[in-house]
Amino acid sequence: MSIVQKTQLGLVSALTLALLTGCGGSSSSGSGGGDNPETNDVLPDGLTLSFVDASSPKYIAYNTTTETSVDLNDLAASSGDSAVQKLAISDTSTIGFFYNWADFRMVDGEEKTDMKYLLMKPSYTYQSGATIDSDQFVQLVHFHGEDLAAHSADEFADPAVGSNKEAALIRLNDSVADQQTLENEVAPALPGDQTLCRAYVDPYLKFEHENEHDHEAAEVEHDHGDLIHFALTESGRMYFYKENASEELESAQPFVELDGVSSISDCSRTTIAHASDDGVLVFIPDVQKLYLVDNHGADYHQHSVWDLADILPAGFHADLMAAIGEGSEHDHDHEHEE
């Protein structure tokens, strides 16, 4: 069980949508396919997935618990709440990519978490790891209670010394620096014929590992095992690494090939996000699909794949995806086809 409670999800939907079923379990050779695909698979509960069609710019949030979606631009236009109104995206020239930010911190000895994402401007290069200030992003989105809401970037311009906004920017840039360090560590570990697209460490498990390390004298309630470093390459392969006793990365298992992905054209708009303590969701805009890669007691494998056309409005092309929420344990009790 995670140390943090599930992020509250309260989007009111105008549309109920069907989900594509199917699962591909990876073989030990690294293949993405499997002989016994699971049926009636649904996305893990406890997530809100925000998608942008950069040419429109249509903006949709999908609630995986209720399996419903809402148009965030319409919601912003109809709301009397200024924070909800700030969700609106109208200028396509400002759309770069989403930066997913797990804002974990200790406050007076209490664990706090607030899952957020920022809409970055095209001028900010994801791979640069440069400092983010109010000039580099458009909006910062998170939940205000049960409502998805936003802060405009100008709210963070020239923050007062010692203010909450200054502290938030410091934590944000610590996150950016940590991500850059992670990618610098993972990239050299890959085979010579592979190029890193995205690196990822589960923020919930990382927070728990660090918290347990800081309290070694205390009784450890859960054994989380190795902290897996996920490495998605531009060819659509997912590699898995763990730290050895010398704190060097070593392969944890064979790689997994994501079905239907031969190349990824824009890594800044490709997303790896927490799905549960067992695994991750992967969004590949080139193929308009979501992949669940998890392990539930065995090697990581491609557990399921969803076509976004089956969960988003007709004609919607998802260029960006952000994810907020703790997710849930995946239901492994499905019937198997022979």
Side-chain angles (χ1 to χ4, degrees):
M1 180 179 296
S2 174
I3 60 169
V4 292
Q5 295 180 339
K6 182 179 293 185
T7 303
Q8 293 181 321
L9 303 172
L11 293 176
V12 178
S13 171
L15 182 63
T16 301
L17 299 159
L19 292 173
L20 178 68
T21 63
C23 168
S26 171
S27 69
S28 61
S29 65
S31 169
D35 294 331
N36 296 307
E38 294 190 8
T39 60
N40 301 320
D41 242 4
V42 295
L43 284 160
D45 286 347
L47 297 171
T48 293
L49 309 178
S50 295
F51 299 93
V52 170
D53 182 333
S55 64
S56 315
K58 296 178 181 177
Y59 192 10
I60 300 293
Y62 183 82
N63 184 320
T64 64
T65 301
T66 60
E67 301 179 28
T68 57
S69 67
V70 62
D71 186 312
L72 293 180
N73 283 327
D74 287 349
L75 182 66
S78 62
S79 177
D81 185 334
S82 62
V84 177
Q85 293 169 2
K86 291 178 182 179
L87 284 168
I89 299 175
S90 58
D91 185 356
T92 58
S93 69
T94 65
I95 299 174
F97 64 93
F98 281 142
Y99 181 80
N100 288 271
W101 177 26
D103 187 11
F104 287 92
R105 60 196 185 278
M106 299 294 293
V107 179
D108 297 328
E110 184 179 355
E111 300 151 346
K112 299 288 186 180
T113 178
D114 192 0
M115 302 299 287
K116 305 172 181 176
Y117 64 86
L118 291 85
L119 175 59
M120 306 303 298
K121 293 180 178 179
S123 57
Y124 184 86
T125 304
Y126 166 74
Q127 291 84 358
S128 70
T131 299
I132 295 175
D133 60 28
S134 62
D135 292 331
Q136 277 78 53
F137 69 98
V138 177
Q139 60 179 219
L140 184 155
V141 180
H142 64 146
F143 275 95
H144 286 191
E146 296 185 350
D147 299 319
L148 200 63
H151 298 273
S152 59
D154 57 17
E155 294 181 48
F156 294 86
D158 301 319
V161 175
S163 67
N164 287 335
K165 287 186 170 58
E166 182 194 49
L169 286 176
I170 291 172
R171 294 195 308 275
L172 169 63
N173 283 294
D174 285 345
S175 168
V176 171
D178 287 346
Q179 181 64 29
Q180 190 66 27
T181 298
L182 173 64
E183 301 206 355
N184 290 341
E185 291 175 347
V186 169
L190 289 168
D193 62 344
Q194 297 295 309
T195 301
L196 180 66
C197 179
R198 282 283 197 173
Y200 179 84
V201 169
D202 186 288
Y204 289 95
L205 299 181
K206 180 174 183 285
F207 186 79
E208 290 180 343
H209 272 263
E210 291 174 346
N211 192 37
E212 289 170 0
H213 179 74
D214 292 341
H215 299 83
E216 290 180 350
E219 181 180 353
V220 177
E221 182 178 354
H222 302 292
D223 179 10
H224 302 292
D226 295 313
L227 187 62
I228 295 298
H229 296 55
F230 297 84
L232 177 65
T233 69
E234 292 181 358
S235 66
R237 289 182 179 181
M238 184 76 85
Y239 288 81
F240 309 87
Y241 296 97
K242 61 183 179 181
E243 289 187 351
N244 59 25
S246 301
E247 297 186 347
E248 297 173 339
L249 292 184
E250 62 181 24
S251 178
Q253 66 164 78
F255 67 82
V256 169
E257 290 180 330
L258 300 182
D259 287 348
V261 182
S262 58
S263 64
I264 299 174
S265 62
D266 191 341
C267 290
S268 67
R269 291 183 170 183
T270 298
T271 300
I272 305 175
H274 174 92
S276 73
D277 287 351
D278 288 338
V280 297
L281 277 181
V282 183
F283 164 64
I284 310 289
D286 299 82
V287 294
Q288 293 292 285
K289 294 182 186 297
L290 278 176
Y291 299 85
L292 176 62
V293 177
D294 67 2
N295 67 353
H296 48 85
D299 277 356
Y300 283 93
H301 59 281
Q302 179 186 295
H303 187 110
S304 304
V305 58
W306 295 268
D307 191 328
L308 289 176
D310 291 297
I311 65 171
L312 295 174
F316 187 98
H317 184 278
D319 295 297
L320 290 73
M321 188 196 85
I324 295 180
E326 186 182 351
S328 66
E329 294 302 321
H330 192 78
D331 181 4
H332 309 301
D333 297 328
H334 301 302
E335 295 294 330
H336 289 257
E337 294 179 352
E338 296 298 325

